[in-house]
Amino acid sequence: MVDRITVEVARYRPEKEAEPSFQAYEVPCRKDWVILDGLNHIKDHLDGTLSYRWSCRMGVCGSCGMTVNGEPKLTCATFLADYAPGPLRVEPLRNFPIIRDVIVDIDDFMQKLSAVKPWLIRDAEKPLAEGEYRQTPAQLDEYKQFSMCINCMLCYSACPVYGLDPEFIGPAAIALAQRYNLDSRDQGARQRDEVLSKHEGIWSCTFVGECTKVCPKHVDPAGAIQRYKLSSAMGSVKDFLMPWRGK
Amino acid sequence: MMARRSIEPLVWILFSVGGVVAAMFVPVLLFLFGFAYPLGWLASPSHAHLVAVVGHPLVRVLLFFLCTLCLLHAAHRFRYTLYDGLQLQHLQELILLVSYGGAFVGSVAAGVLLWQFG
């Protein structure tokens, strides 16, 4: 068992350097250590200037996504020992502008996320006295998978279409739109359709499928997009055959 | 009113149907006529029998749709392979012409051949 491993971390300090470069650190390679533990070790004991995002350490907050040996990974859910004897490379998520070291600018994703209105939309709220909006287990199963998304953006980093065309609304936003579209309590599908059925919505997707491959929560965004393509295309056919529909 | 005015859903439906047809029927036909009959794995139907089958208008219509949908599927894939794979987005008009134009020419050729068969 290798007890130490070299981690090459991408460094970029805009006030000092024009281009990102790599800095190598040697960290303990304990079998229960994830890459984030290695980064915390660097920050606490070797180099306090290293900047990265993290929070929960348990695959829930979606903050610590980075590119590890070329693949987008949650660093809190990826073990150092799997990369022994190393060295392993930690870089910022691809397809996003770099702010500092391995921290990327997520504004574009945040805007896209809010554009699909990922919350329950009701035409009219029923009075409180009528009680909760109840749901059967089958109705829950309809959208539960898509509700597992933690907004970690690994899918955006893996998506070659988003890399080529930043206007593409992207895998997680579409999966989350579907999470609410398929919720029996929601009535906002038509509002979301205005964003989703545009070229920059679902039609930009060429079904590469990398988003589903890298998703740490098994959300299957590619599946969500294909399902929405089918329902949107069927809607188009109905609109064409019955032009009075929906007016 | 929904924001559906583009041709993209229609193109995608044809691509999608073409994919299903190509995946389900083309391998069967290739297996039968490319391997099983020529290599004697299965008893080959007589020439007269096949002529009679293809001579039926319904079979010819089905074969026409099979060819057209497969070609449209291929055109769509080819288009996006050139756009994204080879980064040729700036040649959009030419790529559209070559891919869908090619599918159209192929479909017409299939139609003419099947029409003349009868």
Side-chain angles (χ1 to χ4, degrees):
Chain A
M1 181 74 198
V2 183
D3 58 352
R4 302 194 71 81
I5 187 166
T6 302
V7 183
E8 297 170 350
V9 189
R11 300 301 310 266
Y12 173 59
R13 287 144 293 190
E15 72 280 2
K16 283 211 299 206
E17 323 160 299
E19 292 281 319
S21 58
F22 284 96
Q23 192 167 347
Y25 302 95
E26 209 183 66
V27 302
C29 186
R30 303 202 177 117
K31 81 173 191 330
D32 56 346
W33 267 26
V34 291
I35 292 169
L36 183 61
D37 290 318
L39 294 175
N40 284 339
H41 179 84
I42 295 170
K43 179 94 177 168
D44 294 343
H45 300 287
L46 305 176
D47 184 352
T49 67
L50 181 65
S51 302
Y52 52 98
R53 281 199 187 100
W54 66 286
S55 180
C56 77
R57 301 183 301 167
M58 51 195 287
V60 174
C61 74
S63 311
C64 69
M66 297 170 208
T67 306
V68 180
N69 276 5
E71 277 182 68
K73 294 276 185 192
L74 278 189
T75 52
C76 71
T78 310
F79 285 94
L80 270 178
D82 290 343
Y83 294 86
L88 76 106
R89 285 208 148 180
V90 178
E91 296 167 79
L93 284 181
R94 295 198 176 138
N95 299 339
F96 293 97
I98 305 167
I99 295 177
R100 186 180 193 84
D101 293 343
V102 283
I103 296 180
V104 292
D105 184 348
I106 62 171
D107 283 357
D108 183 55
F109 171 66
M110 298 312 281
Q111 275 166 17
K112 283 173 174 161
L113 193 58
S114 58
V116 299
K117 304 187 180 180
W119 53 81
L120 288 179
I121 297 172
R122 300 283 306 175
D123 295 336
E125 289 288 345
K126 64 180 185 181
L128 214 55
E130 284 181 32
E132 313 88 333
Y133 294 97
R134 303 186 71 174
Q135 223 166 26
T136 65
Q139 286 171 327
L140 174 66
D141 285 344
E142 274 293 299
Y143 68 84
K144 192 175 174 197
Q145 182 186 15
F146 303 132
S147 77
M148 303 309 282
C149 175
I150 55 171
N151 304 337
C152 66
M153 298 171 292
L154 298 196
C155 52
Y156 284 75
S157 183
C159 174
V161 176
Y162 181 63
L164 292 168
D165 176 12
E167 295 296 310
F168 175 39
I169 191 117
I174 299 175
L176 278 162
Q178 278 292 69
R179 177 254 172 271
Y180 288 94
N181 282 341
L182 298 171
D183 191 319
S184 58
R185 299 164 296 180
D186 182 82
Q187 298 171 323
R190 282 193 165 242
Q191 290 182 40
R192 292 185 199 100
D193 186 72
E194 285 168 20
V195 178
L196 296 178
S197 283
K198 284 202 291 199
H199 172 73
E200 297 77 27
I202 45 173
W203 302 115
S204 285
C205 167
T206 53
F207 200 20
V208 179
E210 282 297 311
C211 51
T212 292
K213 235 185 254 174
V214 300
C215 179
K217 307 302 279 186
H218 310 293
V219 169
D220 190 12
I225 299 172
Q226 298 316 301
R227 276 181 72 174
Y228 199 81
K229 276 183 182 173
L230 185 62
S231 57
S232 174
M234 288 303 140
S236 289
V237 171
K238 281 183 196 158
D239 281 353
F240 178 72
L241 295 175
M242 299 177 280
W244 60 89
R245 200 182 77 104
K247 274 187 182 157
Chain B
M1 189 62 202
M2 296 204 190
R4 285 179 181 138
R5 280 287 166 264
S6 83
I7 194 173
E8 281 180 299
L10 180 70
V11 175
W12 182 80
I13 289 177
L14 291 172
F15 162 74
S16 194
V17 175
V20 173
V21 166
M24 287 182 68
F25 298 111
V26 174
V28 176
L29 289 175
L30 283 180
F31 174 76
L32 288 177
F33 291 94
F35 296 98
Y37 294 150
L39 298 175
W41 297 344
L42 289 172
S44 178
S46 70
H47 181 260
H49 179 82
L50 282 176
V51 168
V53 170
V54 182
H56 194 283
L58 190 64
V59 174
R60 275 186 283 159
V61 168
L62 287 176
L63 282 175
F64 175 72
F65 278 115
L66 182 75
C67 295
T68 305
L69 290 168
C70 287
L71 285 168
L72 282 169
H73 179 84
H76 196 76
R77 262 197 198 291
F78 189 54
R79 172 187 163 197
Y80 280 103
T81 304
L82 295 178
Y83 275 9
D84 296 341
L86 299 182
Q87 307 272 301
L88 298 174
Q89 191 97 37
H90 56 283
L91 298 176
Q92 192 168 359
E93 284 82 11
L94 181 68
I95 292 171
L96 286 173
L97 185 74
V98 170
S99 53
Y100 295 113
F104 178 76
V105 170
S107 302
V108 170
V112 169
L113 276 174
L114 288 164
W115 183 262
Q116 286 173 346
F117 194 86

